[in-house]
Amino acid sequence: MHTKIIIRSLILFLLCAAKTSAQEVLTIKDAMKIALENNFEIKIASNNLDIDKTNVSTGNAGMLPRVTASLVDANRIENSTQTLQNGTVNTLDNAKNNSLNYGVGLDWTVFDGFKMFARLDQLKELQKLGEAQLKRTIILKISEVNAVYFDLVQQQQQLTALDTTIMISTKRLELAQNRFKIGKASKLEVLNAQVDLNTDKVALLRQKESYANRKIVLNQILARDSKVDFKVVDNVKVDDKLILAELIALAEKQNPQLESEIINKRVAELQLKQIKGDRYPRINLTTGYNFLDTESSLGFTAAFSARGFNYGLRASLNVFDGFAQNRNEKIAKIQLDNSKIAIEQQSLLLTSELSIAFQTYLTNLELIDLEETNEAIAKQNLNITVDKFRIGTITTLEFRAAQLNYINAKVRYSNAQFQAKLSEIALRELAGNMSF
């Protein structure tokens, strides 16, 4: 019996410990750290950057020689007839002829109109483009983590508000039942109180469902098991010190989309430089060492062998290619102009989006103050209403109206904080100033 009690106590302790662990508070810093380590899109963008880094090499740019080893072993069996100058005819059936040629050769482009140097610079710019794309992916994911996280904070606050209203509705039902027992209230008042309590319980269940679903979404973004349970912090802190001019200045320097367009312009310039390189001659150095062995069953030479070093120079110049060179250069110049236009377009779009988002941000900051005042007034009104209802000087409809006004005020205040936080996140995302 004593053993059973110990086992039950141990199981109870483990269950409590598991429940405590499951409800661990997840801070926004922890969430961002997990996202940076686990998020699949960030991992893919990081791998793509590794590819861009690997491509940056002198060999990939065409600066290094190409060394090739080759071997050719040719064999023939044929019926041969050979007529000499003096009229003698030699005939041999199934004559065997062998030829073995092997060696090592080197081909090195020493000049191609400076195309190889432009290509190397272009590869470096493509690496920078990969870095900008990784940065953009990280900023977008961190913004998404922040948005979902603070949505959970808001929903958690709403759960607290609904818990409060259920407590109030439960107390109201108890008062109504007590007043009915002593004959100061009708059965209708008790039924109305019960209906309102049930309505509040339904709202709480719906809110719990929404809260649980958003947890799953956040776990998905963090690339971890959707069943991992956690709590978030209880409040939303909004930075109310942001300045539009500073945000625009930051965006011009570090917004990843604008940065990508600037890099694309540099890539287009280097592409044009490579195309213009085709107007210059191309010079290659060639060298190698070859071995040749041949055997013949019929002929003047029964066997032949050679060993030797070869070298040379090959030069070529495009004299006329059907005006393809002019066409390619014209297209490259148009693409360069498009890249310049894209920079101007992105810069203007960025300024406009920042201005719109900042105006929304200012409005939401004002709404926070207004809704905070409304919540305080609604709470004071509810306290007065509860006292009056307790002594029976107001109707149940007036009590319910005051109760709903208070809950709605709390929800609006929570939502105002959340919307202001979303505005802050949007501004930081556009400015490329998202902290992570």
Side-chain angles (χ1 to χ4, degrees):
M1 186 69 179
H2 183 66
T3 304
K4 289 182 178 180
I5 294 174
I6 293 175
I7 293 174
R8 288 177 182 175
S9 301
L10 181 59
I11 293 174
L12 182 61
F13 171 79
L14 291 175
L15 289 173
C16 292
K19 185 176 180 180
T20 303
S21 175
Q23 287 296 319
E24 182 180 357
V25 176
L26 177 71
T27 66
I28 184 60
K29 289 184 179 180
D30 291 337
M32 289 190 290
K33 181 180 178 182
I34 295 171
L36 289 173
E37 293 174 351
N38 296 349
N39 184 264
F40 298 120
E41 293 178 46
I42 293 177
K43 286 183 177 181
I44 292 173
S46 180
N47 288 339
N48 289 336
L49 176 58
D50 289 338
I51 294 173
D52 294 331
K53 289 179 179 179
T54 305
N55 280 330
V56 180
S57 65
T58 53
N60 196 23
M63 293 183 174
L64 300 181
R66 183 183 182 90
V67 179
T68 306
S70 63
L71 183 147
V72 179
D73 185 8
N75 301 279
R76 301 195 313 274
I77 298 176
E78 54 192 9
N79 297 331
S80 301
T81 301
Q82 187 180 64
T83 303
L84 304 181
Q85 290 290 340
N86 60 8
T88 304
V89 177
N90 297 323
T91 301
L92 180 64
D93 292 339
N94 297 322
K96 186 176 182 180
N97 299 289
N98 301 325
S99 175
L100 179 63
N101 188 350
Y102 58 96
V104 178
L106 180 146
D107 193 323
W108 191 1
T109 302
V110 294
F111 183 76
D112 64 351
F114 308 104
K115 290 172 60 177
M116 62 181 74
F117 299 100
R119 174 61 179 165
L120 182 60
D121 290 338
Q122 189 180 55
L123 291 172
K124 292 178 181 178
E125 292 301 321
L126 290 174
Q127 178 184 334
K128 293 179 182 177
L129 183 61
E131 291 170 352
Q133 290 171 344
L134 174 59
K135 179 183 175 182
R136 181 170 184 268
T137 301
I138 291 175
I139 289 177
L140 290 176
K141 286 293 113 182
I142 293 301
S143 296
E144 187 176 2
V145 168
N146 275 266
V148 176
Y149 183 89
F150 287 108
D151 184 23
L152 279 170
V153 175
Q154 176 203 209
Q155 295 205 31
Q156 192 168 271
Q157 291 174 342
Q158 292 183 16
L159 282 174
T160 302
L162 289 171
D163 283 335
T164 301
T165 195
I166 285 179
M167 290 175 59
I168 296 172
S169 295
T170 302
K171 186 64 176 177
R172 172 192 165 194
L173 178 60
E174 291 175 357
L175 290 173
Q177 289 173 338
N178 291 335
R179 291 173 60 180
F180 175 72
K181 289 177 181 179
I182 62 176
K184 289 187 175 181
S186 65
K187 184 66 175 178
L188 181 61
E189 183 176 323
V190 175
L191 294 176
N192 285 334
Q194 183 66 63
V195 169
D196 289 339
L197 176 58
N198 291 340
T199 300
D200 294 337
K201 288 181 178 179
V202 170
L204 180 62
L205 286 174
R206 292 297 186 189
Q207 185 58 41
K208 285 182 176 179
E209 177 191 8
S210 178
Y211 182 65
N213 288 339
R214 292 304 282 174
K215 279 187 176 182
I216 294 174
V217 171
L218 183 57
N219 280 329
Q220 178 187 355
I221 299 172
L222 301 183
R224 63 181 189 175
D225 191 344
S226 61
K227 296 179 182 178
V228 175
D229 199 9
F230 59 92
K231 290 182 66 177
V232 293
V233 297
D234 295 326
N235 60 333
V236 179
K237 294 181 180 179
V238 181
D239 185 357
D240 58 355
K241 305 297 182 183
L242 299 180
I243 301 174
L244 180 59
E246 294 179 357
L247 293 170
I248 292 176
L250 283 173
E252 291 175 350
K253 294 179 181 178
Q254 57 191 32
N255 177 271
Q257 287 179 279
L258 182 58
E259 185 179 354
S260 296
E261 297 297 345
I262 294 173
I263 295 173
N264 283 330
K265 173 179 171 291
R266 178 60 178 157
V267 171
E269 290 173 345
L270 292 169
Q271 184 64 30
L272 176 59
K273 189 175 181 180
Q274 291 180 69
I275 293 174
K276 286 184 176 181
D278 289 332
R279 291 188 177 275
Y280 294 88
R282 183 184 182 92
I283 301 174
N284 287 58
L285 295 180
T286 60
T287 185
Y289 197 89
N290 291 314
F291 299 82
L292 175 62
D293 293 303
T294 62
E295 294 181 1
S296 178
S297 299
L298 181 66
F300 293 102
T301 304
F304 176 78
S305 177
R307 311 282 187 275
F309 177 74
N310 64 79
Y311 58 91
L313 180 145
R314 184 174 67 251
S316 61
L317 178 64
N318 180 19
V319 179
F320 180 73
D321 60 357
F323 304 107
Q325 179 67 29
N326 292 337
R327 183 173 61 253
N328 291 337
E329 288 185 16
K330 185 176 181 179
I331 292 173
K333 288 178 181 178
I334 295 174
Q335 290 173 336
L336 178 57
D337 288 339
N338 283 342
S339 65
K340 294 177 182 178
I341 294 172
I343 292 175
E344 295 177 4
Q345 180 186 28
Q346 185 61 39
S347 180
L348 180 61
L349 177 63
L350 192 56
T351 303
S352 299
E353 289 180 342
L354 276 168
S355 299
I356 294 172
F358 191 77
Q359 185 57 54
T360 304
Y361 164 77
L362 293 178
T363 301
N364 287 330
L365 288 181
E366 292 182 12
L367 287 174
I368 288 178
D369 295 335
L370 181 60
E371 295 297 352
E372 184 179 17
T373 303
N374 285 339
E375 183 194 5
I377 295 173
K379 183 177 182 180
Q380 183 181 5
N381 182 53
L382 178 62
N383 291 335
I384 296 172
T385 303
V386 169
D387 292 337
K388 288 185 176 181
F389 182 75
R390 189 175 287 114
I391 61 178
T393 59
I394 62 171
T395 65
T396 56
L397 291 177
E398 291 175 313
F399 179 87
R400 183 62 175 171
Q403 181 186 8
L404 292 178
N405 284 338
Y406 173 65
I407 298 306
N408 291 334
K410 284 185 70 68
V411 170
R412 288 198 309 271
Y413 178 47
S414 175
N415 185 64
Q417 290 177 307
F418 174 59
Q419 293 300 325
K421 191 63 180 180
L422 286 183
S423 299
E424 178 195 337
I425 293 169
L427 287 170
R428 293 190 181 280
E429 178 184 324
L430 290 170
N433 192 34
M434 182 63 67
S435 177
F436 52 84

